[in-house]
């Protein structure tokens, strides 16, 4: 996860937005969600119970505001390809570069289908 964090930190520094600090509550929420999505072989910001990223953050103990969630799935385990794809898409780039974000939770898993799954939650 250090590689993913470093790539995001570099992108944010180039855009002159604040440094993100690891948050264990956001990491736990991201890991739980991406693990469930891997088991279900699906990708969605809302889980099967209808829980949103903000609700998952609160349930995990995060006391700030969840500002955004990014998900990715694919065979490549290199975080550079994931961050590059997020950077190249306007909506996901806006989440990564959200100036109000102060905290980040990162998660990665490989499912039984040979797919790598990535999740980040940003909060303030």
């Amino acid at each position: 996860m250090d590689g993913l964090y470093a790539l995001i930190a570099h992108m944010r520094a180039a855009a002159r937005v604040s440094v993100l600090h690891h948050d264990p509550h956001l990491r736990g929420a991201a890991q739980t969600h991406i693990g469930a999505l891997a088991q279900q072989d699906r990708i969605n910001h809302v889980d099967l119970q209808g829980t949103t990223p903000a609700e998952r953050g609160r349930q995990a103990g995060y006391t700030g505001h969840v500002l955004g969630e990014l998900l990715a799935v694919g065979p490549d385990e290199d975080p550079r390809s994931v961050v590059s794809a997020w950077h190249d898409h306007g909506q996901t780039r806006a989440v990564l570069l959200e100036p109000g974000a102060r905290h980040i939770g990162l998660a990665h898993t490989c499912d039984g289908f040979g797919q790598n799954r990535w999740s980040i939650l940003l909060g303030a």
Side-chain angles (χ1 to χ4, degrees):
M1 298 311 315
D2 290 338
L4 180 62
Y5 177 78
L7 291 165
I8 293 169
H10 179 75
M11 183 188 313
R12 289 180 64 86
R16 299 181 189 262
V17 293
S18 63
V19 172
L20 297 173
H21 303 281
H22 291 284
D23 184 89
H25 303 292
L26 292 177
R27 181 179 44 80
Q31 188 64 53
T32 298
H33 186 56
I34 205 69
L37 293 176
Q39 288 180 340
Q40 299 157 5
D41 191 25
R42 60 190 288 271
I43 191 94
N44 200 310
H45 294 287
V46 179
D47 68 19
L48 292 177
Q49 291 75 38
T51 307
T52 66
E55 292 167 330
R56 286 193 302 278
R58 280 193 303 277
Q59 291 170 354
Y62 186 65
T63 58
H65 298 285
V66 172
L67 301 175
E69 175 181 63
L70 296 178
L71 304 171
V73 62
D76 195 344
E77 41 183 70
D78 184 350
R80 289 177 293 195
S81 63
V82 174
V83 173
S84 178
W86 284 335
H87 180 270
D88 291 346
H89 188 270
Q91 285 181 314
T92 54
R93 183 177 52 249
V95 172
L96 280 174
L97 299 178
E98 166 59 51
R102 299 292 179 262
H103 306 118
I104 189 168
L106 306 161
H108 169 257
T109 191
C110 186
D111 64 25
F113 306 98
Q115 298 293 307
N116 285 278
R117 293 172 180 268
W118 308 83
S119 174
I120 68 168
L121 280 174
L122 297 176

